[in-house]
Amino acid sequence: MKDHPITRRDFIKRAGAATAASAFPLTVVEMAFADPSQRFTFAHISDSHIQHVQGSEFVRNWDRGLIRAVAEANLLTPKPDFVIFGGDLAQLGTKEELDHGAEMLSRLKYKTHCVLGEHDYYLDLGEYWSKLFGPHYYSFDHKGVHFVVLNSILTTDEWTHKKWPTPMHRMIEMAGLDNPNGSPFMVGEKQREWLRKDLENVSKTTPVVVFSHSPIQKLYKGWNFWTDDAEQVQALLQPFEKVTVIYGHVHQIQYNQIGNITFQSVMATAWPWPYPQSYAHAKHAMPKLTVPMNRADPFFERDATGWQFVDMESGRVVVEYNLYNNTNRVVAYNPATRQPEDRVYQNPAKRIPPQNHY
Amino acid sequence: MTRKHILIAAAAIALVGSAASLWIRADEFTKKDLARWQNEFMSVVKKGRELWTSPKLGTKGVACAQCHPNAANTHPETYPKFQKQLGRVATLREMFNWCLMNPLEGKPLALDDPRMIAMEAYATYERRGVPLAPGKH
Ligand SMILES: [Fe+2]
Ligand SMILES: [Fe+2]
């Protein structure tokens, strides 16, 4: 059975237990659990962009996105081993926004690991974020998988330490996705050296999963779908047999394979972003492998937003995109083709008109 | 020639004569004119870009560019087109107003408001070079 019923069976966008049981026969589930020790799940929520209006008011729309993801993740059965929050918790990195976001995340019933996004960072260079969530980059091991969390949204010292009128000026310049006064993201030499050392003690057969905010690929510089030292970071990861990079920032479904490295993006809970191919003047290098998400329907506030339920299976990820107003999608590594593929839409004959972005 | 005809002819001569110093042929304009018109247009595009990225257009600090960087995913070349949610053929400006009222939680603009025209100029300019495709989904 090619389907991975653990994701189908367990996901909560369903009418009820009876419907789920009849739709996914138990035999299928038993097969899927053939080697349960090799298997666990985690949830991935990203890009909530909590935005302060004034006083105790925050932009309602973005709040609703995160509240919904947290509530749904709490209903998962079986329970995920942990949750990753993929960055851009806040919109302008203020204490009010980070506190409000942290309060919402604190309702998760699971251990939560956080990734830094540029919107969390460029006001005070991650100082307050650190007080709430800890170090900017770190690694941990879980059930035989080595997880690395990178801070990939750094940029040059010249830009960061320019004579800005105020730190908020710097934050606002970086917050505008299409703002030509921003600056390209990078992991930077210091952190690459830390990563090299961190990976020294990891066996080449150990599955490695990296969480970053930016793509660790060069997809489109104009919107910082980009990491300036992507090649150098990739070079540190290529020697491992099974490597997956899961990233936020792009607010859309993307997936790619470069050598041994599988790349998968995650959705935002706040709002979707257009694909670079829909900007007529973008010189982009978007992965041909990606079957795009549906074009957003502006009449549905939560359309083209969502969060992810990730099934870790023999060191590879099966990502179920939980799409609030669309049918869920599952993108999984296919050992036969050695690349991530959408379970339904990879076949061009199966694609649907809303997946055409122009 | 009747008396009436003579009078009309005289009036016409008088009119042409008095306007002679202002006489411009409709099809003759200079490079200087072209440059000026382009500048006028680009200044409105610039105004549109400012509005597009402004947190002040709505009431909650949300800007158009937050969801539409470079005005992407607005598809100006496809309007007017049928919007099933409105149940009729709508213009791009009406869609701008939809966003102004909903994600931006602001007030709609008159369809000929200079700010509306500026935003249309900006979004359309970002889309330059794309063939017209009215009605396309
Ligand atoms: Fe984001
Ligand atoms: Fe981001």
Side-chain angles (χ1 to χ4, degrees):
Chain A
M1 187 72 195
K2 274 201 99 183
D3 255 347
H4 288 254
I6 184 165
T7 59
R8 299 298 189 86
R9 190 197 60 160
D10 300 319
F11 190 61
I12 22 101
K13 190 192 278 181
R14 60 182 60 102
T19 324
S22 61
F24 306 108
L26 277 174
T27 49
V28 174
V29 177
E30 280 163 14
M31 278 175 65
F33 277 106
D35 188 1
S37 67
Q38 288 278 305
R39 192 154 194 178
F40 63 92
T41 62
F42 62 90
H44 196 306
I45 302 173
S46 197
D47 291 86
S48 55
H49 290 263
I50 298 307
Q51 188 170 352
H52 191 211
V53 181
Q54 58 180 342
S56 61
E57 191 188 3
F58 293 84
V59 173
R60 185 197 49 80
N61 191 335
W62 319 147
D63 269 20
R64 296 313 306 167
L66 182 57
I67 289 167
R68 180 162 172 179
V70 167
E72 289 186 353
N74 278 341
L75 293 173
L76 285 170
T77 316
K79 294 183 185 314
D81 286 17
F82 55 85
V83 179
I84 297 289
F85 186 83
D88 287 352
L89 177 62
Q91 171 66 7
L92 294 174
T94 62
K95 195 169 175 299
E96 288 88 347
E97 291 175 351
L98 289 167
D99 278 340
H100 187 53
E103 204 266 312
M104 285 190 255
L105 285 181
S106 74
R107 292 178 195 190
L108 283 165
K109 292 180 190 156
Y110 322 105
K111 165 86 187 147
T112 305
H113 302 277
C114 290
V115 183
L116 248 181
E118 80 276 19
H119 290 260
D120 307 318
Y121 181 77
Y122 280 97
L123 183 63
D124 66 355
L125 305 183
E127 204 182 305
Y128 191 65
W129 187 93
S130 249
K131 282 199 184 117
L132 294 170
F133 304 113
H136 292 181
Y137 53 91
Y138 53 96
S139 67
F140 61 95
D141 294 291
H142 185 80
K143 293 187 181 170
V145 177
H146 187 66
F147 289 94
V148 178
V149 174
L150 291 179
N151 173 11
S152 66
I153 51 79
L154 296 169
T155 192
T156 61
D157 285 345
E158 295 94 285
W159 193 91
T160 307
H161 301 295
K162 230 185 241 183
K163 277 214 179 333
W164 298 103
T166 66
M168 188 48 99
H169 280 80
R170 174 177 58 198
M171 179 69 254
I172 286 167
E173 293 288 12
M174 195 55 110
L177 189 74
D178 61 359
N179 179 10
N181 302 329
S183 189
F185 294 148
M186 56 189 70
V187 171
E189 203 180 326
K190 184 176 152 214
Q191 202 180 163
R192 290 202 311 272
E193 180 55 18
W194 168 85
L195 179 62
R196 192 188 61 75
K197 287 216 179 89
D198 180 80
L199 294 174
E200 242 170 29
N201 306 318
V202 181
S203 135
K204 298 291 182 277
T205 56
T206 299
V208 175
V209 176
V210 176
F211 298 112
S212 61
H213 184 68
S214 66
I216 320 290
Q217 302 170 84
K218 291 178 165 171
L219 303 177
Y220 176 47
K221 199 171 187 176
W223 297 344
N224 246 335
F225 290 11
W226 185 270
T227 309
D228 224 43
D229 51 357
E231 295 91 342
Q232 286 131 294
V233 180
Q234 288 174 16
L236 295 170
L237 300 172
Q238 286 295 1
F240 294 86
E241 281 172 21
K242 295 173 178 177
V243 195
T244 310
V245 174
I246 302 181
Y247 58 96
H249 182 66
V250 296
H251 299 204
Q252 62 192 231
I253 294 176
Q254 297 179 353
Y255 48 95
N256 198 13
Q257 182 78 29
I258 302 176
N260 275 354
I261 311 173
T262 305
F263 294 89
Q264 292 230 190
S265 72
V266 294
M267 302 290 283
T269 63
W271 67 79
W273 262 330
Y275 284 91
Q277 52 267 41
S278 62
Y279 179 38
H281 309 282
K283 288 190 187 73
H284 66 84
M286 288 295 289
K288 291 195 168 57
L289 197 54
T290 297
V291 177
M293 64 183 180
N294 290 359
R295 262 184 287 140
D297 178 342
F299 291 83
F300 286 82
E301 185 172 280
R302 291 262 72 70
D303 192 28
T305 66
W307 60 284
Q308 293 63 223
F309 178 58
V310 184
D311 191 352
M312 205 65 220
E313 186 188 271
S314 309
R316 304 284 190 187
V317 301
V318 177
V319 178
E320 175 145 356
Y321 291 94
N322 308 301
L323 306 173
Y324 295 147
N325 291 113
N326 286 160
T327 311
N328 285 359
R329 281 180 54 176
V330 178
V331 176
Y333 184 82
N334 180 350
T337 54
R338 298 178 51 82
Q339 62 185 22
E341 290 174 357
D342 187 288
R343 286 269 163 77
V344 174
Y345 298 115
Q346 208 62 42
N347 174 1
K350 291 272 170 67
R351 296 191 193 165
I352 55 174
Q355 292 166 351
N356 295 331
H357 289 252
Y358 58 89
Chain B
M1 214 180 259
T2 65
R3 212 172 147 213
K4 199 177 168 196
H5 281 135
I6 292 164
L7 275 178
I8 291 171
I13 291 161
L15 193 67
V16 170
S18 71
S21 59
L22 298 172
W23 187 263
I24 298 167
R25 283 176 205 276
D27 60 350
E28 285 180 14
F29 47 87
T30 63
K31 282 184 180 158
K32 208 174 135 201
D33 291 325
L34 287 173
R36 185 173 69 84
W37 298 344
Q38 182 65 15
N39 284 341
E40 291 280 342
F41 172 68
M42 287 311 293
S43 76
V44 174
V45 167
K46 190 164 167 270
K47 188 90 205 112
R49 165 75 187 176
E50 280 159 19
L51 292 161
W52 200 262
T53 54
S54 168
K56 303 233 161 73
L57 194 61
T59 59
K60 307 291 178 191
V62 175
C64 302
Q66 238 167 292
C67 295
H68 297 280
N70 297 107
N73 244 1
T74 55
H75 309 121
E77 79 283 11
T78 66
Y79 287 90
K81 75 173 161 196
F82 184 76
Q83 288 291 352
K84 72 170 183 215
Q85 303 87 345
L86 301 176
R88 60 178 171 82
V89 172
T91 65
L92 182 61
R93 294 182 191 191
E94 291 175 279
M95 295 307 290
F96 284 178
N97 269 341
W98 192 92
C99 279
L100 268 175
M101 288 185 279
N102 289 278
L104 269 63
E105 299 184 51
K107 285 206 178 77
L109 295 172
L111 296 183
D112 61 353
D113 187 299
R115 289 168 293 175
M116 178 61 95
I117 293 167
M119 288 200 292
E120 184 188 66
Y122 170 65
T124 310
Y125 180 71
E126 286 280 34
R127 205 62 181 152
R128 66 199 179 277
V130 176
L132 281 176
K136 181 179 173 178
H137 274 277

